[in-house]
Amino acid sequence: MDVTADLVINNGTVVAAESTMNASVAIKDGVVLAVGAADAMPRARETLDANGLHLLPGAIDDHVHFRDPGYPQKEDFASGTIAAAFGGVTTVFDMPNTLPTVEDAATLAAKQAMAAEKAHVDYGLYAVLGESSIARVPELIAGGVIGFKLYMGNTFGRIPTPSTGAMLEAFEAVAPTGKRISLHAETNSVMERREAKLRQAGRIEPLAHLDSRPEVVAIEAVSRAAILAEWTGARAHVLHISSAGELRPLAEAKARGVDITGETCPHYLMLSTDDYARCGGIIRVNPPVREARNREPLWAALIDGTIDVIATDHAPHSREEKTRNDIWTVDCGFAGVETQMPLMLTEIARGRASICDYVRWSAANPARLWGLYPRKGVIQAGADADIAVVDLNRRWVVKDAEAHSIAKVTPWDGRQVQGLPVHTIVRGRFVVKDRALQAGTRGWGRSVHEIQNMPAPAPVNLDQTTTAILSSGARCQ
Ligand code: DOR
Ligand code: ZN
């Protein structure tokens, strides 16, 4: 080849969702130029010897809360994206429960400007889809959202939960745009009644939180969301699947051809009610970590494709906010963007699944379902050079104190893991090299909303939407 690459990585094992291959990777101008034999690579300004290391497509974490603007004591967009880079994550989608809530064009524009200035990795921004933003769907898409977040249940930020009626109208508004709606699928009215009664009864210990959000809360919400997605043709994504019971309505909707996808997180796969005594309030998260019997079905659903994606719900809070005595006053969630890859790779090393499976869940599938594939989610010629260079043999112990997130309090502290991202490359540039943050990478991250490679929107029942019925006038008897 007659070009000079910016970087050639030699001697590594390149992992894709289907196969692994010993190969060199040449990178130029932020994209992969070639993958192949070392002697077929062009000259390079810089080379990296990846002997003994694996090259994974950078993880795409489609569910993080970076708290910016609004809660700087918990996290900001710089600290969150640095934590991501140290975790081998090269793209994040940030949730809209920041302050002010992202539900109008002006707030979105301000957040876009903030993120562009601070991000060390690529990102997408969500907007809230609720009663007050239904009419703003076009302006939010014009403002560059990656997708919408609909809160069927309350959580941090107390974003109002739309009624089923408002939810249907919201799905009707989004369906023709082809954008995907991510669902916090827990039914609020059930949880509110339970929590009030548990509080009245004086229950304040960590397991009272689980009792207020039993599995049926999620099963009912997933079922209802799937019906509305099917009725309208809106694309839906079920966030943080925590229970075995949610899998049936999800799998059945998929079998009917509904464009609905699912996500779970390491804490639902690896923790259980057995961890509540050890962690106390630190384990409080929505949806809650559940009984151990849910874990095997969740793993099986990942393997059979019912669940598509691994994400983290990275939800940083301060130690004080996580360690209050009364569980109802403890903030929900914990950091995760930096530990997802090592935790999952540890399970891969134990033989749970293959490294290709992991790449499918962490990179290829999220890229596909958000319309980023094949620009992202795969290491091949023409793709963005987003690469986690990983030592699959490195054993180490997670220490919250060493986290790059501002929030240094998680259920993972002290956990033995195997697998460490050594270098993280975002669009051809080292953001982390030899476990050190590289200078000048603040502001390198870009919004990915313009990469859209989705099938055409497929709205249905268009003659029965609220708008259609109103505009068709009075019916003849
Ligand atoms: O536990 C949670 N915390 N679950 C969510 O859905 C939101 C998150 C947060 O923003 O803190
Ligand atoms: Zn969340």
Side-chain angles (χ1 to χ4, degrees), residues 63 65 95 149 240 313:
H63 188 168
H65 299 265
M95 286 295 171
K149 169 78 175 276
H240 45 44
D313 197 4

